[in-house]
Structures are given as C-alpha cells and as structure tokens.
Amino acid sequence: MRDLLLIALYAAAGAAAVGLAGAVALRVLRRRSMAVSLALLTTVAVGSMLAGTLSVAWAMFLSSHDLTVVTTVCAVAAVASTLTALLLGRWVIGGHRDLERAAHTLGEGGGFARPATPMPAELTSLASQLDDASTKLAVSHERERALEASRRELVAWISHDLRSPLAGLRAMAEALEDGVADDPGRYHRQIRGEVERLTSMVNDLFELSRIQAGSLTLNPTRVSAYDLVSDAIAGAGPLAAERGVRLADDGVEAVPLEADGKELTRVLANLLVNAIHRTPADGTVAVSARRADDAVVLAVTDGCGGIPAADLPRVFDTGWRGTDARTPPGGAGLGLAIVRGIVEAHAGRATVRNVPGGCRFEVTLPRA
C-alpha cells in the first residue's frame, strides 16, 4: 500500500509540473487558433502521462532499457494524438470559415446561405440561429421598405392637400384685404371651413404620431357596445343627412367591453365618416355589434361598390386613400391608420372585406 502511495505521489508531481506549464501556455495562446489550443491540450495530456511515468521510473530505478521503451511508447502516442488534434482543429476552423463567409451576406441585401459542409454540433446550431436571424431580418427590411414607401406617399398627399386650401385661403384673404370680395360673409364661411379642415388634418397627424410612438394612453372602463354605436351614429348623423346617406342599425347588442370609450368612439366615428364619404346618395351605411366567442365584433358596412382585391391589404396603411380619394374630401388617408392603431392598442384587430355592393369593416375586441 505504501509503494502504491509513493507511485501516485511521484506521478502526480510530474503530471502537475507539465499541467502547470500547459495552463500557462494556454493562457498565453488563448487568442490564437483553436487548432493550436487543441494541439497544445493534447501535448499537455500526453506530456503529463510521460512526466508521471518518468518520475515513477526514476524513483523505482528502472533499467535504461525499460525507461527507453516507456519513453518511446509515450512519444509515439504524443505524435499520434497531436496529429489527430491538428486534424480536428483544421476541421473546426474550416467549418468556422465557411460560416464566416456565409455570415457576410447578412445585412447586405442577400439572404443567409447556410454552408453545406459538415460542421460540429455547436457550429451547426449557430448556423441555424443565423438562418433564423436572416429570415427575421428580411421580414424587417420588407416592413421597413413598406413603411418608408407609406411615409413618402403620405408626405406627397399631405403636401397636395395642404397646398390647395392654403392657396384658397390666401386668395380669399387678399380679396377681403383689397375690398374686392362681393360677398364677404361667404368668404368668411369658406375660410372657417378650410381652417376646420386643416385643423382636423393636424389633429389626425398628432394622433397618429402618438400611436406610432407608443405613447397612446388608454383609460379603460366598462362600456356597452350599444352606447358606443349610439354615440357614433348620433355624431355622424348630420354628415349622413347632408350627403343623403341613411344610417341603419344592423343588429346592435348591448355587449360589455373593457375599453377606452373615447378612443373607441373615435374608431367608430372614423369608420362611419369614411363609409359615408364612399357611399353614394340614397345609399345605406349599416352598423352592427355582436358577440363572437370571447370577443365583440363592431362592424360598419358601406355601399362603396367594393375595394380592388390588390388594395385590400393596404387599406389600413398610413396615407392610403384609394385612387378616387386624392382630392378633398378624401382627407390625408389617416383615419383608417388611426383606427388600426387604437384597436391594436386594445389588443384587438381591424379587418376589411368586400361584400355585395360595398365593403365591411370589422373591429374585433376582447369582451369584458
């Protein structure tokens, strides 16, 4: 037992000396290639075994022949292990370089092309993560391009809508200033109407900026869908009467909602105003509210004749107004974008689909 303990101590001393030297070498070379680290690690492992063997052989006074045999065996093992480590390191480095070249395509307009060469499990997992990141980045770029196009379109349309009333206001102001207005009262009424229209446009822009900035603050309370629809119809009644459009109740249930009543009233008001403007005289705009599983669906159906299928996905985009709405009273195309923003802030969704004779806007909200 005592001899075994001494052998273990001598072997541990020799292996510890080599291991300490290897640890220092690994720290110095930690920024070098993985192949160098693997080769050094293998050398340390075989060197520790050789050092321990030589320490025990020296302590036991082995013959020179036996010591040479042991040393030769360990040296051959060291060479074989080092070559294997170098081959493994070369394989890992090759996979890393292939992955690095493939990763260069990220952010440069191209998709991530996953290397076809076999790689270690860790690099394969990293390649999968980069593939997922590439897909998400492509979706993000597409969304960014769509938003940028929408912003450009909005700026162009708002510039057009601002230019016309401002030119009219300037002409009427100059006529009143020069005293050449034959009916000053009519000019005053027209100026007031244009100012109110510009004020409405600025308010819409402010509301949309709050929604897109995520600063829209909701004050949810328990409200009834019946009361919301009633208030919205009462507010849109004068406009409907002016344009000769009938407002109809298509079945309104007194379903409770946990929502911001003021913001939802604005949602319904925007939908009703949009529907009234798009419905011809003697047409009908119908409003409904019903239960649907654990949700409430508020719907406004107009008589616009339908929206082209290619335009349906863009209806709620900022600035979208359709081909027949580029002049007043088409507005700046912000109403439906505001509708979607408010509804999504309530954890709901806004959709549109064509129905016979027109289209149907639906707002789906969680039920209280």
Side-chain angles (χ1 to χ4, degrees):
M1 185 66 184
R2 183 173 176 277
D3 292 339
L4 288 176
L5 183 59
L6 287 174
I7 290 172
L9 289 175
Y10 277 108
V18 175
L20 181 61
V24 173
L26 281 174
R27 180 173 179 80
V28 173
L29 300 174
R30 65 185 182 276
R31 299 183 183 277
R32 300 294 298 273
S33 171
M34 186 179 293
V36 175
S37 298
L38 287 173
L40 181 60
L41 180 62
T42 304
T43 303
V44 169
V46 177
S48 298
M49 181 181 65
L50 180 59
T53 302
L54 291 177
S55 299
V56 173
W58 173 78
M60 295 177 65
F61 302 102
L62 289 181
S63 65
S64 60
H65 177 268
D66 292 342
L67 185 59
T68 302
V69 171
V70 172
T71 306
T72 303
V73 171
C74 290
V76 171
V79 172
S81 301
T82 304
L83 290 176
T84 303
L86 289 173
L87 289 175
L88 176 61
R90 184 176 180 183
W91 175 50
V92 172
I93 291 173
H96 170 264
R97 288 175 178 170
D98 290 341
L99 193 58
E100 189 178 32
R101 283 192 294 268
H104 283 165
T105 60
L106 284 174
E108 297 180 357
F112 175 73
R114 187 170 178 171
T117 55
M119 294 183 296
E122 290 78 6
L123 293 182
T124 302
S125 175
L126 179 58
S128 299
Q129 294 297 324
L130 288 174
D131 200 5
D132 293 341
S134 176
T135 302
K136 293 177 182 177
L137 189 60
V139 173
S140 177
H141 282 169
E142 186 62 32
R143 187 185 301 115
E144 183 180 355
R145 282 193 292 268
L147 287 174
E148 185 60 29
S150 146
R151 289 190 190 99
R152 287 197 299 267
E153 200 171 50
L154 175 62
V155 169
W157 286 355
I158 286 182
S159 299
H160 174 272
D161 287 348
L162 287 176
R163 189 181 298 114
S164 299
L166 288 176
L169 286 172
R170 179 178 180 179
M172 288 184 286
E174 289 176 351
L176 290 172
E177 185 179 15
D178 296 338
V180 297
D182 53 354
D183 187 357
R186 179 172 64 86
Y187 275 58
H188 288 148
R189 289 191 296 274
Q190 289 180 346
I191 290 174
R192 181 186 178 91
E194 294 294 347
V195 169
E196 289 179 349
R197 181 165 159 261
L198 291 174
T199 301
S200 176
M201 187 183 301
V202 171
N203 289 338
D204 283 347
L205 282 170
F206 177 72
E207 183 72 12
L208 185 63
S209 67
R210 284 203 307 152
I211 292 172
Q212 292 182 342
S215 59
L216 177 64
T217 303
L218 299 178
N219 298 304
T221 57
R222 182 175 287 268
V223 295
S224 171
Y226 183 86
D227 294 337
L228 290 175
V229 172
S230 299
D231 293 343
I233 289 178
L239 177 62
E242 178 185 345
R243 299 182 66 87
V245 175
R246 293 185 298 274
L247 295 179
D249 181 339
D250 195 23
V252 179
E253 301 178 14
V255 189
L257 289 167
E258 194 75 25
D260 190 318
K262 178 182 176 182
E263 296 297 340
L264 284 188
T265 299
R266 176 165 190 155
V267 165
L268 287 174
N270 284 2
L271 292 177
L272 282 172
V273 169
N274 180 74
I276 292 169
H277 279 307
R278 300 297 180 270
T279 301
D282 295 330
T284 300
V285 172
V287 187
S288 67
R290 59 181 176 83
R291 292 181 177 87
D293 298 329
D294 292 332
V296 178
V297 179
L298 308 175
V300 175
T301 306
D302 60 32
C304 67
I307 299 174
D311 287 342
L312 280 175
R314 298 191 56 213
V315 167
F316 292 99
D317 289 352
T318 303
W320 184 89
R321 298 184 296 181
T323 55
D324 59 344
R326 291 179 178 266
T327 56
L334 304 179
L336 294 180
I338 292 173
V339 165
R340 181 175 64 178
I342 295 176
V343 170
E344 289 180 351
H346 282 85
R349 67 180 186 277
T351 58
V352 60
R353 57 187 172 88
N354 286 326
V355 296
C359 57
R360 181 181 179 89
F361 288 85
E362 291 186 347
V363 171
T364 304
L365 297 166
R367 201 171 74 185

